[in-house]
């Protein structure tokens, strides 16, 4: 029997309804065999009852009994097939949790090689064979094994989802196009697939671009951290150098002060010691004379007393100490002079620091040109956009929203909403001027107030030597020299606006703690000519970064 089983082929033992090896096979009156469950279900769904193979109609549903011979042969074939599948385990593996199992296997389920979209089942190598050899099954559509094949069927019409509705963006069957999707834009599933795949490709490209941008941003931030650390290290080094020098200067001044005071005290002590020694010597001599006087006064020898008295009067006179004084030294001004010297050292160190600071802010130099669309009609702008002065005639210009119509002011073309920027303006020969930055939303019509509350951060010169920072309230500035060139530095994120006397490398004034939320524009006003005294122009100058 085992030899015969080796000659058995699968076809005689396949149910033509389920396409699997018979389970409880029964025979119809016309002689065809089916699984009992398959033919029973078929007849329950189809009236009148007929043979699925030869289409013979049975007016009365036949009584079905299991064909024991076919049943035994099918069981032997199934056992043989399972043994064959087990022996070829090197080619097929028992299904793993992430793999799709064969729906036709009984017992141990093998890994499916393909799924059938018509049968809605997945098959291993053995059970896939009919789809590869039988003419009727070759027409079925096979795909790589997938789970939940039922999801590929339309739940409403029980038909294969083979179309894509681009209107509703859902997969539909053919019958759906005659009902609720009748007027929609429907394309074959392949076309919809290719369209979506193209979209996915585009999306993937966009995602990669976003990833790249974020990686560049990470690099930018890391670079910013590096620059910040370099700046911090540089500031620490400069600070340590300056404070070390100051500390040494303080210690040196303190030592010199102590030495001066101690030297004066030593001289006083030496003087006093000399006077005391001389006085003690005179005291000793006087004691000796006192003793002689006492002895002579006790003598009763008249001749001896008179002769001795003459020699006693011949003794040298004592020194007059009435006006002799040991005066404590005057320390008045000693400490003050030491502190003044220390202040001079500190001033020199501050000057060095400011020179370094100015060089650093000059690294943030930006291109600045004047914007004629914002200039008051009486202002004269030079062709290069770098100079401005007040003319004698008010030009007939469009009164656009950007233009100042009352105050002789002008803004730069460039605006800044982040980072740092620096520019320099020559003010030589002027008796009045306004310089600074202004936010975009400032009032440019009529009279306005220069203050941070109104959107202006400026310093001004009035009457040739009055410098004022319009900080609200205004702050009068005391400058050691008159700036011929003013540097303007802004750190947007830090909220800082600083003004420098470029030639003196001195800080004029700083607005700190500012909160910027708009674009900032460099702001200029050459002010009135004052009868020709203030006719020199404001000139935006290139930065000369000295080594």
């Amino acid at each position: 029997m085992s030899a015969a089983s080796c000659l058995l082929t699968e076809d005689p033992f396949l149910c033509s309804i389920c396409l699997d090896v018979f389970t409880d096979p029964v025979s119809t009156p016309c002689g065809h065999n089916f699984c009992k469950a398959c033919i029973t279900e078929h007849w329950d769904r189809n009236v009148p009852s007929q043979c699925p193979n030869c289409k013979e109609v049975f007016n009365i549903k036949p009584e079905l009994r299991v064909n024991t011979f076919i049943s035994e042969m099918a069981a032997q074939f199934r056992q043989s097939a399972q043994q064959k599948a087990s022996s070829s385990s090197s080619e097929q593996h028992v299904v793993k949790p992430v793999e799709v199992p064969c729906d036709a296997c009984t017992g141990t389920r093998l890994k499916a090689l393909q799924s059938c979209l018509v049968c809605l089942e997945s098959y291993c190598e053995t059970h896939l064979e009919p789809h590869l050899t039988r003419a009727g099954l070759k027409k079925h559509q096979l795909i790589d094994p997938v789970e939940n094949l039922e999801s590929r069927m339309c739940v409403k019409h029980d038909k294969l989802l083979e179309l894509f509705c681009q209107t509703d963006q859902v997969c539909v069957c053919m019958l759906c196009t005659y009902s609720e999707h009748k007027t929609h834009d429907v394309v074959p599933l392949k076309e919809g697939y290719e369209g979506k795949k193209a979209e996915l490709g585009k999306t993937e490209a966009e995602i990669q671009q976003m990833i790249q941008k974020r990686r560049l941003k990470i690099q930018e931030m890391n670079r910013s951290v590096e620059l910040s650390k370099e700046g911090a290290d540089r500031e620490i080094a400069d600070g340590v150098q300056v404070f070390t020098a100051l500390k040494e200067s303080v210690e040196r001044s303190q030592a010199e002060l102590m030495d001066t005071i101690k030297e004066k005290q030593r001289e006083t002590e030496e003087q006093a010691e000399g006077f005391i020694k001389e006085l003690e010597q005179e005291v000793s001599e006087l004691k000796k004379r006192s003793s002689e006087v006492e002895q002579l006064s006790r003598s009763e020898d008249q001749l001896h007393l008179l002769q001795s008295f003459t020699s006693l009067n011949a003794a040298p006179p004592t020194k007059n100490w009435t006006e002799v004084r040991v005066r404590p030294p005057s320390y008045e001004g000693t400490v003050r002079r030491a502190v003044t010297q220390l202040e001079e050292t500190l001033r020199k160190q501050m000057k060095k620091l400011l020179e370094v600071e100015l060089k650093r802010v000059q690294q943030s130099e930006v291109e600045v040109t004047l914007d004629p669309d914002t200039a008051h009609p009486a202002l004269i702008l030079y062709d290069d956009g770098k100079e401005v002065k007040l003319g004698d005639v008010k030009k007939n210009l469009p009164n656009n929203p950007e233009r100042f119509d009352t105050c002789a002011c002008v803004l730069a073309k460039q605006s800044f909403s982040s980072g740092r920027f620096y520019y320099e303006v020559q003010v030589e020969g002027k008796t009045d001027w306004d310089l600074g930055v202004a936010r975009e939303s400032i009032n440019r019509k009529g009279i306005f107030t220069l203050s941070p509350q109104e959107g202006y951060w400026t310093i001004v010169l009035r009457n040739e030597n009055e410098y004022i920072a319009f900080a609200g309230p205004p702050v009068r500035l005391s400058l050691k020299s008159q700036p011929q060139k003013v540097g303007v530095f802004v750190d947007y994120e830090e909220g800082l606006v600083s003004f420098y006397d470029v030639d003196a490398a001195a800080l004029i004034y700083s607005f700190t703690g500012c909160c910027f939320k708009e674009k900032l524009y460099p702001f200029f006003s050459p002010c009135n000519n004052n009868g020709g005294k203030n006719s020199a122009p404001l000139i935006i100058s290139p930065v000369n970064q000295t080594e």
Side-chain angles (χ1 to χ4, degrees):
M1 185 68 182
S2 61
S5 65
C6 294
L7 301 176
L8 293 174
T9 60
E10 187 179 34
D11 288 350
F13 305 104
L14 292 180
C15 171
S16 60
I17 297 178
C18 67
L19 302 178
D20 199 359
V21 178
F22 289 123
T23 301
D24 297 332
V26 295
S27 300
T28 61
C30 59
H32 294 110
N33 299 305
F34 305 94
C35 296
K36 184 177 182 180
C38 292
I39 191 64
T40 301
E41 183 181 358
H42 178 73
W43 282 347
D44 288 342
R45 289 190 286 108
N46 297 278
V47 179
S49 303
Q50 66 176 12
C51 176
N53 287 355
C54 66
K55 307 303 179 182
E56 182 178 346
V57 177
F58 306 105
N59 294 323
I60 299 176
K61 184 184 299 185
E63 182 179 353
L64 300 173
R65 294 183 180 181
V66 175
N67 186 323
T68 55
F69 176 75
I70 298 297
S71 179
E72 289 176 0
M73 295 297 291
Q76 291 179 14
F77 181 82
R78 183 180 293 108
Q79 183 179 4
S80 175
Q82 290 176 351
Q83 291 174 352
K84 181 180 179 182
S86 300
S87 65
S88 61
S89 59
S90 61
E91 297 180 3
Q92 294 193 87
H93 305 279
V94 175
V95 65
K96 298 178 181 179
V98 295
E99 297 171 343
V100 178
C102 175
D103 294 317
C105 287
T106 59
T108 302
R109 303 175 68 186
L110 302 180
K111 181 179 73 172
L113 297 182
Q114 287 191 302
S115 298
C116 178
L117 295 179
V118 177
C119 303
L120 297 181
E121 289 190 338
S122 301
Y123 300 109
C124 64
E125 182 180 6
T126 301
H127 294 108
L128 183 64
E129 184 68 22
H131 281 75
L132 302 177
T133 57
R134 297 185 61 175
L137 298 178
K138 284 184 178 180
K139 297 180 180 179
H140 290 193
Q141 184 178 355
L142 298 176
I143 61 172
D144 290 335
V146 294
E147 293 182 315
N148 301 322
L149 284 168
E150 295 79 3
S151 64
R152 296 176 176 268
M153 301 296 290
C154 176
V155 295
K156 186 172 183 179
H157 302 106
D158 199 25
K159 295 292 183 182
L160 183 66
L161 297 172
E162 53 185 342
L163 300 171
F164 181 70
C165 176
Q166 298 193 116
T167 304
D168 292 340
Q169 295 290 299
V170 294
C171 295
V172 297
C173 70
M174 185 62 71
L175 294 180
C176 290
T177 62
Y178 296 98
S179 53
E180 61 266 30
H181 298 274
K182 184 177 181 180
T183 59
H184 293 180
D185 182 11
V186 178
V187 298
L189 202 62
K190 183 178 181 181
E191 183 177 337
Y193 162 82
E194 292 175 348
K196 291 302 179 185
K197 195 165 186 180
E199 288 184 21
L200 288 174
K202 183 179 179 181
T203 301
E204 174 65 15
E206 291 174 351
I207 291 173
Q208 291 301 323
Q209 188 177 13
M210 293 170 67
I211 291 173
Q212 183 63 20
K213 286 183 179 179
R214 279 151 181 78
R215 285 176 176 169
L216 291 175
K217 181 58 70 173
I218 291 173
Q219 293 178 3
E220 177 187 328
M221 290 181 175
N222 286 332
R223 181 56 182 161
S224 296
V225 171
E226 291 176 3
L227 292 174
S228 176
K229 186 178 184 304
E230 291 174 3
D233 292 342
R234 187 168 56 245
E235 288 294 330
I236 290 173
D238 290 344
V240 169
Q241 181 180 359
V242 169
F243 280 98
T244 299
L246 287 176
K247 179 181 177 183
E248 292 174 352
S249 179
V250 169
E251 291 174 348
R252 184 168 55 253
S253 297
Q254 182 183 13
E256 291 174 356
L257 175 65
M258 297 299 103
D259 290 345
T260 299
I261 294 173
K262 288 179 180 179
E263 178 62 22
K264 289 185 176 182
Q265 175 64 17
R266 185 184 62 78
E267 291 175 354
T268 301
E269 289 176 355
E270 288 179 353
Q271 183 187 41
E273 287 174 0
F275 287 155
I276 291 171
K277 185 176 181 180
E278 188 176 352
L279 286 168
E280 286 177 346
Q281 185 176 355
E282 289 190 2
V283 168
S284 178
E285 292 177 355
L286 288 172
K287 284 183 177 180
K288 182 179 179 181
R289 188 177 182 80
S290 174
S291 176
E292 292 175 353
V293 169
E294 183 181 359
Q295 290 180 4
L296 186 60
S297 65
R298 293 178 182 176
S299 176
E300 295 181 356
D301 187 340
Q302 296 176 358
L303 178 63
H304 173 72
L305 187 147
L306 292 172
Q307 290 176 338
S308 299
F309 187 82
T310 302
S311 61
L312 187 65
N313 285 336
T318 60
K319 181 178 179 178
N320 184 7
W321 292 89
T322 304
E323 301 299 329
V324 178
R325 298 283 188 275
V326 176
R327 300 183 183 279
S330 174
Y331 300 109
E332 190 71 28
T334 304
V335 176
R336 177 181 54 76
R337 285 191 295 272
V339 172
T340 300
Q341 184 178 357
L342 190 60
E343 286 179 345
E344 179 63 19
T345 302
L346 179 59
R347 186 188 65 79
K348 291 179 180 179
Q349 290 293 333
M350 285 295 297
K351 181 173 178 59
K352 290 181 180 179
L353 279 179
L354 284 170
E355 289 174 350
V356 173
E357 179 181 330
L358 182 58
K359 288 179 182 178
R360 287 184 185 162
V361 299
Q362 285 177 332
Q363 301 296 321
S364 301
E365 178 188 9
V366 294
E367 177 69 17
V368 174
T369 53
L370 302 171
D371 185 359
D373 291 336
T374 66
H376 183 274
L379 291 179
I380 298 175
L381 272 61
Y382 289 69
D383 293 339
D384 61 358
K386 297 292 185 178
E387 298 183 39
V388 59
K389 68 178 182 179
L390 187 67
D392 298 326
V393 179
K394 187 174 182 181
K395 297 183 290 294
N396 185 18
L397 297 175
N399 190 20
N400 51 286
E402 296 83 8
R403 190 180 306 282
F404 292 94
D405 66 351
T406 302
C407 298
C409 307
V410 62
L411 299 179
K413 290 181 179 179
Q414 294 77 13
S415 65
F416 305 89
S417 56
S418 64
R420 304 171 180 176
F421 62 94
Y422 174 86
Y423 59 94
E424 293 179 354
V425 183
Q426 181 178 314
V427 296
E428 184 178 1
K430 296 192 66 62
T431 61
D432 298 84
W433 47 256
D434 302 350
L435 290 175
V437 293
R439 67 186 180 210
E440 186 175 29
S441 63
I442 54 171
N443 176 30
R444 309 181 192 196
K445 308 300 180 182
I447 302 296
F448 51 82
T449 302
L450 293 178
S451 69
Q453 291 75 20
E454 298 296 325
Y456 296 88
W457 291 265
T458 59
I459 63 171
V460 304
L461 170 64
R462 295 290 183 266
N463 302 320
E464 195 170 350
N465 57 11
E466 296 178 11
Y467 294 92
I468 304 170
F470 279 116
V475 178
R476 289 193 172 273
L477 306 175
S478 177
L479 306 183
K480 292 184 178 180
S481 61
Q482 288 190 314
Q484 302 300 302
K485 186 182 292 184
V486 176
V488 183
F489 172 72
V490 177
D491 188 327
Y492 194 96
E493 284 75 19
E494 192 69 22
L496 173 69
V497 182
S498 295
F499 300 86
Y500 295 88
D501 181 340
V502 176
D503 297 325
L507 178 66
I508 298 174
Y509 186 80
S510 286
F511 292 87
T512 59
C514 308
C515 183
F516 302 130
K517 296 181 179 179
E518 301 179 25
K519 293 178 181 179
L520 295 180
Y521 289 83
F523 171 85
F524 310 83
S525 176
C527 298
N528 295 328
N529 285 338
N530 293 335
K533 294 181 179 179
N534 192 40
S535 60
L538 290 175
I539 304 174
I540 301 172
S541 306
V543 175
N544 181 21
Q545 298 179 16
T546 57
E547 295 296 331

